[in-house]
Each structure stands twice: as structure tokens, then as C-alpha cells.
Amino acid sequence: MPSFATLQASVADIPTIIEIQEKTWEPTYRDILSKDQIDFMFEKIYSPESLADQMQSGQQFMILLSDETSVGFSSVSEEKPGKFKLHKIYVLPATQGTGAGKYLLHATENYVKSLGGTVLSLNVNRYNKAKTFYEKMGFRVVDEQDIPIGPYWMNDYVLEKPLN
């Protein structure tokens, strides 16, 4: 069984985040989104400049380590007092099913609680199999959103989880 740990990321970790994302996005979204949309969103959200902007505007990124190798990341920010948004959570496809995602989500929740967070929300594509994972982890659908991103639309569920 792998040994997991997390660390708070900084701008110096952006290449690691991009490397994980390059190995994660296509397998995650190829059955849901067109290649053009995947490429567009990847460039918009995961360019070094965009990630640096996200960090500077309040998103806290965490890197997941498995036996000292970076295998995933998450990012959260406070939307309003006590309510945080989970913007991103990804683990390498090879680590899925090992408890890596569960460990990273729990570590992210604990970080949010340490800042006084009482609710964690996230968006998930309506066709993403990860919705089942989030529901098993205590999240519930509270809304649906259709969000324009450039010429594309993200058709999402909004899920929330109270943090006790």
C-alpha cells in the first residue's frame, strides 16, 4: 500500500501541476468533451500564467505525494466566509483505486476546516464518473449549472458537503 502525504504548493510547483494534468485530463475527459474543448480548456486553465494567477488570487494548491513522488493535486479557495470551493482535484490514472483520491480529498477538507471552513462545494461535469466518488465521500447535488468557457459550455452539477 502506498504511503501518502500532502504539501502546500507554490508557484515553484506549477511545472509539477502541469505534468500531472497532462497525464490526467485526456483520459478523464475524452469520453465527455471534444479534443478541441479539452485543448482549449487546458490552455485556458493550466498555462503557467493562468495557474500563477489562480494562486495569486487566493486558490491554495496542494500536491499529493505517494512515496515522495507527486501523483496528484487539488486547489481550493474561500468563496464566502466558511464556504470553500474545490476547484480542482486530480490524481494520476495509475493511482486511481489506491486510495489516493480519498486521501487527497480528506487532506483538502482538513485544510479547509483548519481555516474555519464549514462547507465545501465543487462542480463536476454531469457525465463525469467522478460524481459517484464524490457522493460516496459525502457530497450531495444541490444545483446544476451551464457555464460558458470561450465557445464551449460546461454542463455541471454543483455538489456540497458540510464539514463537521
Side-chain angles (χ1 to χ4, degrees):
M1 195 71 183
S3 166
F4 297 116
T6 56
L7 56 92
Q8 291 192 12
S10 69
V11 172
D13 295 302
I14 286 176
T16 300
I17 291 167
I18 291 171
E19 183 181 330
I20 292 167
Q21 201 55 22
E22 285 174 342
K23 295 174 183 171
T24 308
W25 253 55
E26 200 276 334
T28 301
Y29 293 110
R30 68 175 158 227
D31 295 336
I32 302 171
L33 307 175
S34 70
K35 177 161 179 13
D36 288 345
Q37 185 172 357
I38 291 170
D39 292 345
F40 176 87
M41 292 180 61
F42 190 92
E43 183 55 37
K44 182 167 180 58
I45 301 169
Y46 290 100
S47 68
E49 300 77 20
S50 178
L51 287 167
D53 286 347
Q54 292 166 46
M55 288 178 177
Q56 289 157 4
S57 67
Q59 280 191 48
Q60 176 60 58
F61 284 72
M62 296 175 74
I63 303 285
L64 175 67
L65 303 173
S66 174
D67 301 322
E68 300 184 29
T69 300
S70 299
V71 298
F73 69 91
S74 66
S75 79
V76 293
S77 67
E78 192 168 25
E79 290 192 307
K80 57 185 183 186
K83 185 172 182 179
F84 284 71
K85 174 138 188 177
L86 178 64
H87 295 279
K88 303 169 187 61
I89 183 165
Y90 293 98
V91 297
L92 292 175
T95 68
Q96 291 174 2
T98 66
K102 188 181 287 191
Y103 182 94
L104 180 56
L105 183 57
H106 282 309
T108 304
E109 290 173 0
N110 288 334
Y111 171 75
V112 166
K113 286 194 270 191
S114 79
L115 299 177
T118 57
V119 176
L120 186 59
S121 73
L122 62 89
N123 285 38
V124 65
N125 184 286
R126 287 184 204 137
Y127 304 101
N128 190 331
K129 295 182 295 249
K131 177 179 174 274
T132 305
F133 166 75
Y134 296 126
E135 289 174 331
K136 285 181 184 168
M137 298 297 292
F139 286 84
R140 295 289 166 254
V141 173
V142 296
D143 199 5
E144 292 185 22
Q145 292 180 339
D146 296 307
I147 304 160
I149 298 187
Y152 303 102
W153 287 88
M154 291 303 299
N155 308 113
D156 290 353
Y157 287 118
V158 179
L159 286 80
E160 285 187 357
K161 178 180 180 177
L163 302 176
N164 310 352

